């Protein structure tokens, strides 16, 4: 699986798992609720039927009704009128109190003595009841004249224990479904609340995971940039060493003009009117400073800027100072400056210096980060990474017990002021 697909799965998985778990929990709760309602209804109808079957009034009335008909000549409503008059009020009262749909009492042939509908009295029940009239109890769902219902049928026994009729108590399946809907309505707000909480929790988890992914992306990008920069520097170092070997060979053979020509082929040197010239007494004492000035002036000229130097040094520039001056001056020109002024002076065992320009300056919001590795406010068109110069300057200055700070320049741009110990 591709990394992008794995990332998508990891982002979506918390929400999917949370919603799936919530749905499963709601389904289980609904199933348990239905089972509970059905069990309670079964217990209720069985208890009502058993209680009625044991009432003396019911036994006496059913015994009287039993003599009104035979299996070949079933009793009708008129034959059972006396028993109905006694039992129907009892059946209606018990049915209303117990919350059941019907209470039916029959004789020993299963002919109804009571029923909520008068037209059903004196009519034999439609469902098979031989086992109940034989003395067994029945509990289950059957389809009768009123539709499917959960019912309990209990035999009515005489004083000797013989079955003489039965009591049937039922609750319509539609009523059970209605009770389940009510329970579901009561559960729905909790389910919705849990869904909202779960969604928010999933969103928080997703946001945290996404933030971690973004941090990993940033780290990966920094590593990739560092690898590109390292590869570029390695290549440049190899090329630079090769060119130094060529220059060394030319100089060691006394071919100075050829060496200068080779150097100018590598780095074309432009000269501008008024270019800095070292004094005669400086040419031998501070050759590195003179060469550095010329190199910086030539490089900035290519960038459209003019470099001015004010040097008051007790000794020639060392490698660290050359790196500081060239990096700060180049940084100013690349930032858009047209005039760059560099000043260096020796005070005892310290070198005090500054580089200022007339460019756009440094935004105070990023002033604390410009010396970080890889940081740059300029677009990186090379693909090898930028923002290394100021980090190099910072490391050189701090390694020699110095400090560097950035502020506003009198020329209108930025001013980098630094001090460090004189090289040993």
């Amino acid at each position: 699986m591709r990394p992008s697909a794995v990332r998508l799965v990891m982002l979506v998985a918390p929400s999917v798992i949370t919603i799936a778990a919530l749905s499963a929990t709601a389904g289980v709760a609904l199933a348990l609720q239905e089972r509970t309602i059905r069990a309670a209804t079964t217990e209720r109808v069985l208890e009502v039927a058993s209680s009625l079957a044991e009432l003396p009034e019911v036994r006496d009335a059913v015994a009287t009704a039993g003599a009104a008909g035979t299996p070949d000549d079933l009793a009708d409503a008129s034959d059972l009128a006396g028993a109905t008059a006694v039992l129907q009020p009892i059946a209606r009262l018990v049915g209303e109190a117990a919350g059941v749909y019907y209470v039916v009492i029959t004789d020993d042939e299963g002919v109804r003595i009571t029923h909520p509908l008068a037209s059903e009295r004196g009519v034999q029940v439609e469902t098979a009841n031989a086992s109940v009239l034989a003395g067994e109890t029945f509990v289950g769902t059957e389809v009768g004249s009123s539709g499917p219902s959960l019912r309990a049928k209990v035999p009515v026994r005489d004083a000797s224990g013989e079955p003489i009729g039965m009591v049937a108590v039922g609750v319509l399946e539609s009523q059970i479904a209605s009770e389940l809907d009510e329970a579901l309505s009561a559960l729905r707000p909790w389910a919705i609340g849990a869904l909202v909480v779960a969604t928010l929790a999933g969103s928080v988890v997703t946001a945290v995971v996404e933030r971690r992914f973004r941090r990993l992306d940033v780290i990966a990008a920094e590593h990739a940039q560092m690898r590109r920069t390292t590869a570029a520097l390695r290549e440049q170092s190899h090329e630079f060493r090769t060119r130094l070997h060529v220059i060394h060979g030319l100089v060691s053979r006394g071919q100075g003009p050829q060496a200068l020509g080779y150097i100018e082929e590598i780095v074309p040197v432009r000269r501008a009117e008024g270019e800095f010239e070292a004094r005669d007494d400086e040419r031998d004492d501070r050759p590195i400073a003179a060469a550095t000035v010329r190199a910086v002036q030539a490089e900035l000229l290519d960038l459209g800027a003019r470099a001015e130097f004010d040097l008051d040094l007790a000794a020639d520039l060392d490698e660290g100072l050359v790196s500081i001056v060239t990096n700060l001056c180049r940084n100013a020109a690349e930032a858009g400056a047209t005039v760059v002024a560099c000043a260096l002076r020796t005070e005892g065992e310290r070198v005090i210096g500054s580089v200022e320009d007339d460019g756009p300056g440094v935004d105070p919001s990023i002033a604390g980060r410009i010396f970080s590795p890889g940081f740059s406010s300029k677009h990186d068109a090379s693909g090898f990474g930028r923002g290394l110069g100021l980090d190099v300057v910072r490391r050189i200055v701090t390694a020699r017990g110095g400090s560097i700070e950035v502020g506003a320049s009198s020329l209108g741009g930025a001013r980098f002021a630094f001090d460090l110990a004189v090289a040993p």
Side-chain angles (χ1 to χ4, degrees):
M1 185 179 293
R2 295 192 306 175
S4 58
V6 174
R7 177 171 179 171
L8 179 62
V9 170
M10 292 185 66
L11 289 175
V12 175
S15 298
V16 173
I17 293 174
T18 301
I19 294 175
L22 179 61
S23 301
T25 302
V28 171
L30 184 60
L32 291 175
Q33 188 69 26
E34 181 182 13
R35 184 179 301 176
T36 300
I37 292 174
R38 189 168 291 277
T41 303
T42 300
E43 183 179 354
R44 185 167 78 251
V45 296
L46 181 60
E47 183 178 356
V48 172
S50 299
S51 299
L52 277 175
E54 294 175 359
L55 283 177
E57 293 86 349
V58 173
R59 289 178 175 176
D60 294 343
V62 172
T64 301
T70 64
D72 297 327
D73 184 17
L74 299 176
D76 57 18
S78 59
D79 298 330
L80 302 174
T84 300
V86 174
L87 297 179
Q88 185 61 43
I90 297 175
R92 182 175 63 252
L93 180 62
V94 172
E96 291 175 354
V100 296
Y101 179 69
Y102 65 81
V103 175
V104 173
I105 303 175
T106 73
D107 63 7
D108 54 348
E109 276 83 34
V111 178
R112 299 185 184 98
I113 301 173
T114 66
H115 194 280
L117 300 177
S119 59
E120 296 294 329
R121 298 167 194 163
V123 179
Q124 191 177 37
V125 295
E126 293 137 352
T127 52
N129 301 284
S131 61
V132 180
L133 294 174
E136 296 181 4
T137 298
F138 171 82
V139 178
T141 299
E142 292 182 330
V143 179
S145 60
S146 303
S149 61
L150 176 63
R151 60 188 66 178
K153 297 178 181 180
V154 178
V156 179
R157 303 176 186 272
D158 60 14
S160 64
E162 290 297 320
I164 56 176
M166 70 175 177
V167 177
V169 178
V171 174
L172 294 177
E173 288 288 343
S174 59
Q175 181 179 345
I176 296 177
S178 178
E179 292 180 9
L180 182 60
D181 288 341
E182 292 180 3
L184 181 60
S185 298
L187 180 63
R188 188 176 293 114
W190 294 96
I192 293 175
L195 178 61
V196 171
V197 172
T199 302
L200 292 176
S203 300
V204 171
V205 173
T206 300
V208 172
V209 173
E210 176 64 18
R211 182 177 299 176
R212 294 294 177 89
F213 276 131
R214 289 178 180 175
R215 289 180 180 176
L216 291 176
D217 288 342
V218 172
I219 294 174
E222 290 178 351
H223 286 175
Q225 177 176 312
M226 187 64 68
R227 286 195 297 270
R228 292 194 300 268
T229 303
T230 302
L233 291 176
R234 186 180 296 113
E235 181 180 349
Q236 291 175 2
S237 176
H238 178 73
E239 183 179 359
F240 182 69
R241 288 172 61 88
T242 301
R243 289 173 175 174
L244 282 181
H245 282 299
V246 173
I247 295 171
H248 179 271
L250 292 173
V251 173
S252 64
R253 295 168 59 185
Q255 296 176 332
Q258 289 82 354
L260 289 176
Y262 177 72
I263 293 173
E264 290 185 357
E265 286 180 4
I266 298 173
V267 184
V269 179
R270 294 178 55 186
R271 299 178 182 274
E273 184 177 353
E275 182 179 343
F276 175 86
E277 293 287 350
R279 298 193 306 269
D280 291 339
D281 59 346
E282 292 179 336
R283 294 184 186 275
D284 294 331
D285 295 340
R286 291 187 289 276
I288 297 178
T292 300
V293 168
R294 291 176 181 276
V296 171
Q297 287 178 332
E299 183 176 1
L300 266 61
L301 191 61
D302 285 335
L303 296 173
R306 175 168 52 87
E308 299 176 353
F309 287 86
D310 180 11
L311 306 182
D312 185 10
L313 298 170
D316 202 358
L317 291 180
D318 57 75
E319 182 181 356
L321 286 174
V322 170
S323 181
I324 292 173
V325 170
T326 55
N327 275 292
L328 289 179
C329 290
R330 182 187 306 114
N331 186 76
E334 289 179 346
T338 59
V339 176
V340 179
C342 174
L344 292 174
R345 71 178 185 276
T346 302
E347 292 186 1
E349 297 300 319
R350 311 280 301 174
V351 176
I352 311 299
S354 67
V355 174
E356 52 186 319
D357 60 68
D358 63 348
V362 177
D363 187 344
S365 63
I366 65 172
R369 295 184 289 134
I370 60 175
F371 294 102
S372 301
F375 178 85
S376 177
S377 61
K378 301 181 286 295
H379 174 66
D380 180 14
S382 67
F384 293 112
R386 301 183 64 164
L388 299 175
L390 292 181
D391 177 53
V392 171
V393 170
R394 176 189 60 80
R395 287 190 284 110
I396 294 173
V397 171
T398 55
R400 290 170 57 171
S403 63
I404 183 170
E405 59 182 20
V406 59
S409 167
S410 59
L411 299 178
R415 181 176 186 273
F416 288 84
F418 58 90
D419 75 286
L420 68 163
V422 173

